[in-house]
């Protein structure tokens, strides 16, 4: 019998084998005593391995259905470490609306190491197939993408990659293993900003990576230890605690997100809502096939920056901040926050205009969230000299 993922969130970490403690202990030890000159224990130095971090790494590997898990000091540390599997002269194919920090890493760091890249619209498989070059080694994607919620078919992208001898990396931050399992769909490495839903309380900055096979795991483990951007024991503990409640948290937030998406869709001041749960979202059929829910993040467009400003100033409940995936709702302004590191022209091309806002739905009562949106939008209407019925 195999347990469902919600059960795995609670029990994957297990109890402490030494004491039976229900919570994994926080091993605050940088180094470990060895028995003799030639007999070493399982741990020697915490950059190379720490028992609390290992408990987390084994947990995420089980949850994603992979062989090896790795915990890093941030999502960007996980992502950039995975890219270090590449060598000078290689080429990567990247979906064009990746996270702003990933875009910056590829264009400003990888570039310096003579690693070439092409950004493509991965919702278009022809475009993707045509962009693969003889030296392409990695296909990198994020689905749903941030913040415009474009959907890439993971299975087809991974097949195409494999047929061309490339690895597939998937940033699974938005869906988490609760809703989407890229390794089952053919990906080779799953990456997470665990800062978001996995930890869930706006308290930890962390990254996770899971490899599908042992050999790739050994290579990434070597980079983790060599580059050294590992997650500390206390943060590993906090992240384990966050993961236990992921099913309950993300389940409720995703239900509320649907209510909010529908409300916004019907509001006359909202020009567009990006939410993969709408049947008319162009990526909806693919998303429904590869993921179990539309998740808890949506974006929407007001007419312009002035409207966005009035709206943000009057919204009462969400915190206005970068980040997402927490118990509190988080509103952000991609143009200057998550995608501030992207040139204006590139942003506009991706639909990240001055009226676009991203809403990560938390655990507040959905009726309160809708009421709050309604009163803030009424203020926008008033400032714009409009009268609306909502
Ligand atoms: C936040 C985020 C990252 C970067 O993670 P950090 O933990 O902030 O380093 C990468 N990808 C996505 C989709 C994100 O939302």
């Amino acid at each position: 019998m195999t347990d469902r993922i919600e059960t795995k969130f609670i029990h994957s970490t297990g109890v402490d084998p030494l004491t039976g403690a229900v919570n994994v202990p926080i091993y605050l030890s940088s180094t470990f005593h060895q028995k003799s000159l030639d007999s070493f224990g399982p741990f020697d130095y915490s950059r190379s391995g720490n028992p609390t971090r290992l408990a987390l790494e084994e947990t995420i590997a089980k949850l994603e259905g992979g062989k090896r898990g790795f915990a890093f000091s941030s999502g960007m540390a996980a992502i950039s470490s995975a890219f270090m599997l590449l060598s000078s002269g290689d080429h990567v194919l990247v979906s064009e609306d990746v996270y702003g920090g990933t875009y910056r890493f590829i264009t400003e760091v990888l570039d310096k190491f003579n690693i070439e890249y092409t950004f493509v619209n991965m919702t278009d498989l022809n475009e993707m197939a045509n962009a693969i070059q003889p030296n392409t080694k990695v296909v990198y994607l994020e689905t749903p993408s941030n913040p415009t919620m474009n959907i890439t078919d993971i299975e087809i992208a991974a097949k195409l990659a494999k047929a061309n001898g490339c690895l597939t990396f998937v940033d699974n931050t938005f869906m988490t293993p609760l809703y989407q399992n890229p390794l089952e769909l053919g990906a080779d490495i799953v990456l997470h900003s665990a800062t978001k839903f996995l930890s869930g309380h706006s308290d930890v900055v962390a990254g996770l990576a899971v490899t599908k096979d042992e050999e790739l795991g050994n290579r990434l483990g070597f980079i983790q230890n060599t580059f050294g951007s590992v997650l500390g024991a206390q943060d590993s503990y906090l992240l384990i605690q966050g993961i236990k409640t992921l099913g309950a948290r993300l389940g409720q937030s995703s239900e509320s997100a649907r209510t909010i998406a529908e409300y916004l869709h019907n509001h006359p001041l909202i020009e567009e809502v990006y939410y993969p749960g709408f049947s008319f979202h162009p990526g909806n059929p693919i998303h429904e096939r590869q993921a179990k829910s539309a998740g808890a993040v949506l974006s929407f467009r007001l007419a312009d920056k002035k409207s966005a400003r009035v709206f943000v100033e009057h919204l009462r409940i969400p915190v206005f901040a970068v980040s997402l995936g927490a118990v509190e709702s988080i509103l952000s302004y991609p143009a200057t926050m998550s995608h501030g590191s992207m040139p204006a022209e590139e942003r506009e091309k991706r639909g990240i205009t001055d009226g676009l806002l991203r809403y990560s739905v938390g655990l507040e009562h959905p009726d309160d969230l809708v009421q709050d949106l309604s009163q803030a939008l009424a203020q926008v209407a008033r400032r714009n000299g409009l009268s609306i019925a909502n």
Side-chain angles (χ1 to χ4, degrees):
M1 210 166 84
T2 51
D3 291 328
R4 289 170 181 79
I5 188 88
E6 290 83 351
T7 305
K8 289 186 185 167
F9 286 140
I10 311 296
H11 292 290
S12 281
T13 312
V15 301
D16 177 37
L18 221 54
T19 63
V22 169
N23 288 306
V24 63
I26 304 172
Y27 284 93
L28 287 178
S29 192
S30 58
T31 190
F32 299 81
H33 177 69
Q34 307 301 328
K35 290 212 169 59
S36 74
L37 269 183
D38 45 17
S39 135
F40 295 98
F43 300 99
D44 56 20
Y45 186 60
S46 273
R47 172 164 37 73
S48 315
N50 171 283
T52 315
R53 195 179 87 220
L54 181 65
L56 168 65
E57 293 176 328
E58 291 180 346
T59 299
I60 191 65
K62 281 184 206 160
L63 295 173
E64 286 288 7
K67 268 279 185 295
R68 298 277 301 280
F70 301 95
F72 295 88
S73 55
S74 69
M76 281 319 304
I79 291 166
S80 44
S81 296
F83 275 120
M84 281 179 206
L85 293 167
L86 292 163
S87 304
S88 168
D90 289 347
H91 172 260
V92 290
L93 204 59
V94 189
S95 68
E96 68 183 355
D97 42 10
V98 282
Y99 176 73
T102 306
Y103 176 87
R104 178 172 54 196
F105 178 78
I106 292 166
T107 56
E108 296 188 42
V109 178
L110 276 192
D111 193 49
K112 277 198 241 174
F113 294 92
N114 191 30
I115 291 166
E116 297 170 6
Y117 54 85
T118 309
F119 288 96
V120 289
N121 171 8
M122 285 200 188
T123 63
D124 181 343
L125 290 162
N126 281 332
E127 194 177 316
M128 194 179 143
N130 290 337
I132 292 187
Q133 301 176 13
N135 60 339
T136 308
K137 293 289 163 60
V138 166
V139 170
Y140 184 96
L141 61 100
E142 206 178 300
T143 180
S145 72
N146 179 16
T148 48
M149 303 289 155
N150 289 319
I151 303 300
T152 298
D153 191 321
I154 299 173
E155 197 167 7
I156 292 187
K159 267 198 189 126
L160 193 64
K162 199 166 197 168
N164 288 278
C166 309
L167 296 173
T168 305
F169 297 177
V170 178
D171 181 332
N172 203 27
T173 300
F174 274 42
M175 286 290 106
T176 83
L178 179 64
Y179 292 147
Q180 185 168 271
N181 292 105
L183 297 183
E184 271 176 22
L185 298 165
D188 299 285
I189 298 185
V190 178
L191 297 154
H192 285 284
S193 169
T195 312
K196 317 294 167 56
F197 291 105
L198 287 166
S199 66
H201 296 75
S202 302
D203 51 358
V204 181
V205 173
L208 295 170
V210 179
T211 64
K212 186 172 177 155
D213 67 41
E214 192 70 35
E215 189 268 336
L216 200 53
N218 289 338
R219 284 166 61 199
L220 190 58
F222 174 81
I223 288 168
Q224 183 197 38
N225 185 34
T226 303
F227 192 62
S229 57
V230 294
L231 192 65
Q234 307 210 48
D235 285 347
S236 296
Y237 174 85
L238 285 171
L239 186 44
I240 289 168
Q241 295 303 96
I243 287 173
K244 287 181 188 171
T245 58
L246 179 65
R249 286 186 290 106
L250 187 51
Q252 183 183 321
S253 288
S254 300
E255 262 182 51
S256 301
R258 177 170 292 278
T259 305
I260 288 170
E262 279 163 8
Y263 169 78
L264 291 170
H265 175 65
N266 291 317
H267 197 287
L269 282 183
I270 303 297
E271 297 188 340
E272 193 155 7
V273 179
Y274 299 94
Y275 175 66
F278 287 144
S279 57
F280 51 83
H281 182 292
N284 177 265
I286 296 168
H287 188 72
E288 297 231 305
R289 202 178 332 120
Q290 68 190 12
K292 295 192 195 84
S293 161
V297 182
L298 53 112
S299 298
F300 51 94
R301 188 189 310 289
L302 282 156
D304 48 28
K305 188 165 185 171
K306 183 177 144 240
S307 303
R309 188 187 298 281
V310 174
F311 179 75
V312 169
E313 280 169 3
H314 286 88
L315 212 56
R316 201 173 51 81
I317 297 177
V319 297
F320 182 56
V322 296
S323 201
L324 56 96
V327 292
E328 61 276 358
S329 291
I330 301 178
L331 183 77
S332 63
Y333 187 60
T336 56
M337 291 179 167
S338 57
H339 290 67
S341 50
M342 193 176 272
E345 190 188 315
E346 293 296 318
R347 263 195 287 114
E348 297 274 331
K349 232 168 50 187
R350 291 161 170 80
I352 306 164
T353 60
D354 288 346
L356 189 78
L357 290 154
R358 189 185 71 198
Y359 198 116
S360 165
V361 181
L363 295 179
E364 301 92 342
H365 196 291
D367 294 349
D368 291 341
L369 296 177
V370 168
Q371 252 171 31
D372 186 31
L373 288 164
S374 164
Q375 62 80 23
L377 286 167
Q379 292 292 338
V380 177
R382 203 171 64 82
R383 296 297 166 95
N384 291 352
L386 303 168
S387 70
I388 49 166
N390 288 55

